Amino acid sequence: MIPFIDLQAQRQNISTEINAAIENVLAHGQYIMGPQVGELEKQLSNFCGVKHSISCGNGTDALQLALMALDIGPGDAVFAPSFTFVATVEAVLLMGATPVFVDVDEETFNICPTSLAEAIEMITAQGDLKPRAIIPVDLFGQPAAYRQIEEIATAHSLAIVADAAQSFGASLNNKNVGRMGDIVTTSFFPAKPLGCYGDGGALFTGDDDLATRLRSLRNHGQGTDRYDNVNLGLNSRLDTIQAAILIEKLKIFPSEIDARKKIAQYYHTNLPSSLRPQKLMEGATSVWAQYTVVGENRDQIRDRLAADDIPTAVYYPKPNHLQAPYQGAPCAPKGLPVTEHLQERVFSLPMHPYLDEELQGKILEALTRAVS
Ligand SMILES: *Cc1c(COP(=O)(O)O)cnc(C)c1O
């Protein structure tokens, strides 16, 4: 079976640099908050063009830290898509707030501004919960419709926490996703476009006060020194070794993004006509964390591809509003028909920067046979 995501190909490419970077950390021994952590944060800020980067333990903690920094808790409503990885809404529930599930757009798969506006009006009219924040998700690497979302957020005085776990490196209207909304969260989980060799995450913000709070919150609510605790916080720091690895990976990341775009373009051009790919919004660039298509008879197509040694994956087979911990949570007034439609029809093809054209040709040939 060919790999769905080939992390070893990347490792072979830069193993000397990565081994040296790890050796360097082992030599100085500052495993927690060593110099590479600050250095990486500086480089992430430069990369995104954002004032503050705050690294943390993982992308799920990043979301929770964002909600903590915004003082979101019991009685608060946080609007988010159901068609996303569970972590997006897990953080909301962990904070004691109520997730309100919003439907997604049929073509981009990202949060639907119309469904969002209707959900906010419904919660406002009911009067039990206080609308506080929106968590748009940049699904599969494509930025959400931030222009429309920002208008809605401004009209209702809501904060925006952008879940960019899958989209680090993408942009919308020439603006890097690191600069969307009030706080942006991302993940360096190994399989994300920019991944480390373990868990890792980061937050981005242009707001000085939020940045100060986030730096404190990720480190036990620390104040002026280690034994001064001004906030209720978490232990969620990025390991120095992971920061050192990320510094090396960031160097080749722009060329990896270019490779992903080329591979996505090749899929687009040669896809059988019965399959519909995720549509890229005008003005958006994607980092193609996943290349996802919609098709009837998905399971049959996937079985046939598997018989030809072509792996595929389904993100996400069961939307969050149907998962046990979230079943009582409110949904947008017209329900989530697009989410439920997509959940039964989407599947993702192998995607990583080291997928060569020969292999891609093989995948497309098998796919053409599988749909016929
Ligand atoms: C991966 C992911 C997360 C969580 O990131 P972790 O680093 O695995 O905790 C959150 N949201 C989305 C959309 C993700 O894909």
Side-chain angles (χ1 to χ4, degrees):
M1 191 78 97
I2 68 162
F4 184 69
I5 293 181
D6 195 347
L7 293 174
Q8 287 308 330
Q10 182 200 51
R11 170 149 173 76
Q12 275 160 24
N13 199 18
I14 50 168
S15 64
T16 312
E17 291 84 349
I18 289 200
N19 290 347
I22 294 172
E23 277 293 331
N24 188 10
V25 176
L26 297 181
H28 70 53
Q30 295 178 58
Y31 304 121
I32 304 292
M33 298 306 279
Q36 282 79 5
V37 175
E39 177 56 32
L40 174 70
E41 289 176 342
K42 217 175 343 165
Q43 292 187 14
L44 293 174
S45 289
N46 285 340
F47 185 89
C48 298
V50 68
K51 193 164 178 194
H52 302 286
S53 296
I54 301 100
S55 61
C56 66
N58 57 69
T60 310
D61 280 2
L63 285 157
Q64 187 173 355
L65 287 163
L67 298 177
M68 290 168 84
L70 295 166
D71 266 324
I72 285 171
D76 292 339
V78 178
F79 301 83
S82 175
F83 193 55
T84 172
F85 183 56
V86 69
T88 307
V89 287
E90 193 174 26
V92 178
L93 218 50
L94 282 171
M95 293 308 296
T98 303
V100 179
F101 289 111
V102 176
D103 210 4
V104 289
D105 179 86
E106 186 157 7
E107 296 194 311
T108 65
F109 310 163
N110 279 331
I111 195 166
C112 166
T114 310
S115 176
L116 172 63
E118 289 168 355
I120 296 168
E121 274 155 34
M122 178 188 80
I123 294 297
T124 307
Q126 287 170 354
D128 306 326
L129 296 168
K130 189 171 180 328
R132 288 292 312 281
I134 305 165
I135 310 184
V137 178
D138 304 339
L139 205 67
F140 307 142
Q142 166 170 222
Y146 286 102
R147 193 177 287 167
Q148 291 93 316
I149 295 165
E150 275 164 17
E151 269 174 34
I152 295 169
T154 306
H156 296 274
S157 304
L158 304 180
I160 297 175
V161 175
D163 183 348
Q166 301 178 7
S167 65
F168 184 78
S171 66
L172 182 60
N173 301 319
N174 296 315
K175 189 171 157 184
N176 189 283
V177 292
R179 296 170 58 208
M180 302 298 172
D182 298 280
I183 303 178
V184 180
T185 68
T186 199
S187 164
F188 303 126
F189 181 82
K192 308 285 181 183
L194 179 64
C196 56
Y197 289 158
D199 278 309
L203 300 112
F204 309 111
T205 183
D207 184 297
D208 296 346
D209 293 336
L210 284 175
T212 304
R213 260 179 83 72
L214 289 167
R215 282 187 196 287
S216 164
L217 289 169
R218 67 144 175 216
N219 197 6
H220 301 292
Q222 196 175 96
T224 49
D225 69 56
R226 186 179 298 191
Y227 300 107
D228 177 36
N229 305 100
V230 293
N231 294 299
L232 175 63
L234 297 180
N235 173 4
S236 184
R237 298 162 303 219
L238 181 70
D239 290 346
T240 310
I241 285 182
Q242 301 302 344
I245 290 165
L246 284 164
I247 288 170
E248 295 309 316
K249 288 203 178 196
L250 194 57
K251 291 179 189 162
I252 59 164
F253 190 52
S255 66
E256 289 189 337
I257 294 175
D258 287 345
R260 287 176 181 276
K261 285 179 182 162
K262 226 177 105 200
I263 291 158
Q265 191 54 49
Y266 196 74
Y267 273 142
H268 267 344
T269 317
N270 296 290
L271 210 58
S273 60
S274 60
L275 299 176
R276 173 169 69 84
Q278 177 186 26
K279 188 180 165 189
L280 207 53
M281 257 188 322
E282 178 127 359
T285 70
S286 175
V287 289
W288 303 105
Q290 305 295 344
Y291 187 87
T292 303
V293 299
V294 186
E296 301 298 328
N297 304 321
R298 171 187 68 192
D299 298 338
Q300 189 188 339
I301 297 170
R302 294 189 64 216
D303 286 346
R304 288 179 174 179
L305 286 172
D308 274 340
D309 283 340
I310 311 287
T312 55
V314 173
Y315 305 108
Y316 295 90
K318 190 173 179 187
N320 294 312
H321 68 287
L322 302 178
Q323 306 276 5
Y326 307 95
Q327 280 179 9
C331 291
K334 289 184 185 144
L336 309 174
V338 179
T339 298
E340 286 168 12
H341 178 89
L342 290 174
Q343 157 230 330
E344 287 175 0
R345 290 168 180 82
V346 287
F347 65 102
S348 306
L349 299 173
M351 168 56 88
H352 59 82
Y354 303 91
L355 189 61
D356 61 35
E357 229 171 73
E358 190 189 325
L359 206 48
Q360 235 193 323
K362 224 179 100 186
I363 294 166
L364 283 159
E365 261 173 48
L367 191 57
T368 305
R369 277 196 304 273
V371 298
S372 63

